[in-house]
Each structure stands twice: as structure tokens, then as C-alpha cells.
Amino acid sequence: MQFTTIGVVGAGTMGNGIAQVFAQAGLTVIMADVSQSALDQGLRSIGNSLARLVKKDLQTEEGAAAVLARISVSTRLQDLADCQLVVEAATENAAIKEKIFRELDSVVGKDCILASNTSSISLTTIAAWVSAPERVIGMHFMNPVPLMQLVEIIRALQTGDACHQAIHQLALTLGKTPVTVKDGAGFVSNRVLMPMINEAAFVLYENLATAEDIDTVMKLGMNHPIGPLALADLIGLDTCLSIMDILHREFRDSKYRACPLLVQLVAAGRLGRKSGHGFYRY
Ligand code: NAD
């Protein structure tokens, strides 16, 4: 399958990074969001990320300008009609994603692959929202997208072999390492990561140590490059909470209950780096 134009739905933390890596691979990208200010902010983030690459001599000024020129933005999903692939990276909320996938289904061509960057929502459920479920797949990028090597590919029960092959190959073209997993709550990455982050929140909630000390234990003791609480702030605490809630609901196991501190921080609007305050202040 030949990919030339890629749609990305959502211009937030993940969406703008995903748009950037596709544009860096020479593809034309249309980044769509309901919010014009999110699109403006998304483009600024991509500009800043490219400027850092230029500063480190990993990208030329002209190359960075060409990457930016390949990205256009829109507040209308209809503008994604000619894409061969749309990667949905909107807010982690099933109702929002269902609305997006149902609308995309009526907008894109019959060969277009619809991928989701969801962290935890069942791809099998997402595939059931559209008329060609064999062309739905999970393309789970890691944060920050331009730097992280992994793309976790999730096969829905309905995903066709051709769709899977095309996305596996495309991930390699982006310079990423794809790992394919079956559809199951949290997939592999968040099934393992989120309970660890949640447990670190419990340790803080129970006043066993400060946030800094919890992160230092995991960095220096376990050789993690970043502590779990700092990582949660990077991911977004609302996203972390939503993933814990999904694991809890799917497995009906109390070991996945969200830490009350995480619930409170989200209720207070302390969402991590993106709001300037989470477990830490920014
Ligand atoms: P975010 O809150 O930073 O951005 C979400 C964006 O979606 C916002 O700009 C919002 O305006 C937009 N949006 C909301 N409703 C929309 C709609 N109907 N149409 C178009 N755009 C809409 O969230 P994020 O952290 O970028 O997460 C996006 C997705 O990526 C989620 O599914 C999340 O689970 C997943 N994910 C996040 C991370 C992470 O570290 N943050 C990592 C991997 C996967």
C-alpha cells in the first residue's frame, strides 16, 4: 500500500508528535482538531521540536522548514477525505473516539486505514464502529513521539493481514521499531506501566516518601531513565487516570483501582506538564 497523505486527529501531546514524525518521513500530513488553539499550539510544539533538532545538528534549517511545510491543519474531519491513513490521537474518551470514527467512516475512501493511538480502549470495540473493521488497527506511539523508538501495534479481532502488514511496514519507514500485540486492556505497555505509576501515587498518598525520593529510588535503584511520577506528569494525569479506570473496569480486579490522590489531582485540574502542575510544578 502506498502512503502519501496522512490524517492525524488531535493536535495535543501525542497528535502533534505523530504529525511531526510522518512529515519528517516525507509524507504530507493534515492535522485536525476541534480546537483552533490546540492546532496553533500543536504547530508551535512541532516548530520547537524541529528547532531543537537543528540546534543539535540532527536537522538542517531548510529540512525543518520543509517538514513544517508538509503539515497543514484543519478543524473539519471532511478535509481528511483523501488520506490513505488516519491516525486518531484525540482525548482518551470512548464517546469522543466513537463520534470521530463514525464520522471518519463516512468521510474517507474505501481503502483508507483507520488507526487509533489509544492507550487503553479496546481496538476490537473501535473497529466495530466502522463499516470496514478489517482496516482498523492500533498504532500506539510513545511519548515524546519524535524520540521514542517503539510503536506498539495492536491487532483488533477484526484487523486484516493486509492492514497489519501495511502498518508494520510504515512504522519501519518512520524509523521506529514495531511490536505487534493482541487486543487486551492496556495492551502490553500500559498493562505493565500504569499499575506501577498508580502504586507510586499510593506511596506518595500514604506519605511514605516525597515525590522526588520515590522517583530517585526508581531511577537510581531500578535504572529507569525517569521516575514514575515525573513520567505520569509527562503522560498527563487525566490520561493515566482514564487508563487505570479502564483496566479496573475490564478486569474487575481491585488491584487496578486508581489511587485517590490521582483522582484528586485530576479533579483539581493538575494534569501534569500540560497544565503546569501535577505531582510536580513546571
Ligand atoms: P491531549 O489532551 O494532549 O490532546 C487531545 C487532543 O484531542 C486535544 O487537542 C483536543 O482538543 C482534541 N480533541 C478532543 N476531541 C476531539 C474531536 N472530537 N476531534 C478532534 N480532536 C479532538 O491528549 P494526548 O495525551 O495527546 O492523548 C491523545 C491520545 O493518545 C489518547 O488516546 C491517549 O490515550 C493516547 N496516548 C497518550 C500518551 C501520552 O503520553 N500522553 C501516550 C500514548 C498514547
Side-chain angles (χ1 to χ4, degrees):
M1 183 163 185
Q2 201 59 34
F3 294 101
T4 55
T5 307
I6 311 292
V8 177
V9 181
T13 311
M14 296 304 288
N16 71 65
I18 294 169
Q20 180 181 336
V21 295
F22 280 119
Q24 281 178 336
L27 297 160
T28 301
V29 179
I30 307 166
M31 183 166 71
D33 201 292
V34 277
S35 150
Q36 184 60 48
S37 69
L39 289 169
D40 295 341
Q41 178 57 43
L43 281 179
R44 272 197 299 278
S45 298
I46 295 170
N48 292 339
S49 169
L50 290 169
R52 283 194 294 276
L53 293 179
V54 171
K55 215 169 165 189
K56 290 182 192 158
D57 277 338
L58 295 169
Q59 175 73 270
T60 62
E61 297 246 5
E62 304 75 56
V67 171
L68 267 180
R70 279 195 283 276
I71 303 172
S72 59
V73 298
S74 171
T75 53
R76 296 155 16 108
L77 292 186
Q78 294 96 299
D79 290 336
L80 306 182
D82 295 329
C83 294
Q84 297 86 40
L85 164 69
V86 178
V87 181
E88 172 277 317
T91 312
E92 185 75 345
N93 172 303
I96 290 176
K97 292 193 192 289
E98 177 169 0
K99 191 164 167 285
I100 292 170
F101 272 84
R102 289 193 188 282
E103 187 174 343
L104 285 173
D105 192 34
S106 66
V107 164
V108 299
K110 66 174 183 41
D111 294 325
C112 178
I113 291 178
L114 297 177
S116 176
N117 186 55
T118 179
S119 306
S120 57
I121 297 171
S122 159
L123 264 303
T124 302
T125 301
I126 293 177
W129 293 332
V130 303
S131 53
E134 67 279 9
R135 290 199 312 274
V136 172
I137 194 160
M139 204 175 185
H140 186 207
F141 290 86
M142 304 293 130
N143 183 12
V145 182
L147 300 182
M148 298 297 280
Q149 192 58 39
L150 177 72
V151 177
E152 189 179 34
I153 295 178
I154 302 104
R155 283 192 78 141
L157 205 62
Q158 307 94 318
T159 304
D161 289 339
C163 168
H164 173 246
Q165 268 308 319
I167 293 303
H168 176 90
Q169 200 50 48
L170 182 62
L172 292 173
T173 306
L174 297 179
K176 304 291 188 193
T177 303
V179 173
T180 298
V181 306
K182 288 186 189 156
D183 190 24
F187 319 129
V188 170
S189 51
N190 283 313
R191 174 86 179 268
V192 176
L193 173 67
M194 281 305 153
M196 183 191 70
I197 285 177
N198 196 49
E199 205 57 33
F202 267 113
V203 171
L204 182 66
Y205 182 59
E206 292 165 16
N207 263 322
L208 301 185
T210 63
E212 289 82 0
D213 283 348
I214 294 165
D215 279 349
T216 300
V217 166
M218 297 306 285
K219 278 192 295 183
L220 303 188
M222 318 302 159
N223 219 10
H224 289 194
I226 182 171
L229 299 175
L231 180 57
D233 277 356
L234 185 69
I235 293 168
L237 300 193
D238 50 342
T239 302
C240 294
L241 176 59
S242 154
I243 296 168
M244 284 310 298
D245 285 345
I246 285 175
L247 291 172
H248 194 204
R249 200 176 62 227
E250 292 287 321
F251 293 114
R252 296 180 176 84
D253 185 332
S254 65
K255 78 176 174 183
Y256 297 114
R257 75 206 181 286
C259 171
L261 177 60
L262 186 60
V263 177
Q264 279 181 338
L265 289 172
V266 172
R270 296 184 186 175
L271 306 182
R273 280 181 183 268
K274 64 184 165 188
S275 71
H277 197 174
F279 288 112
Y280 296 95
R281 279 186 183 277
Y282 299 91

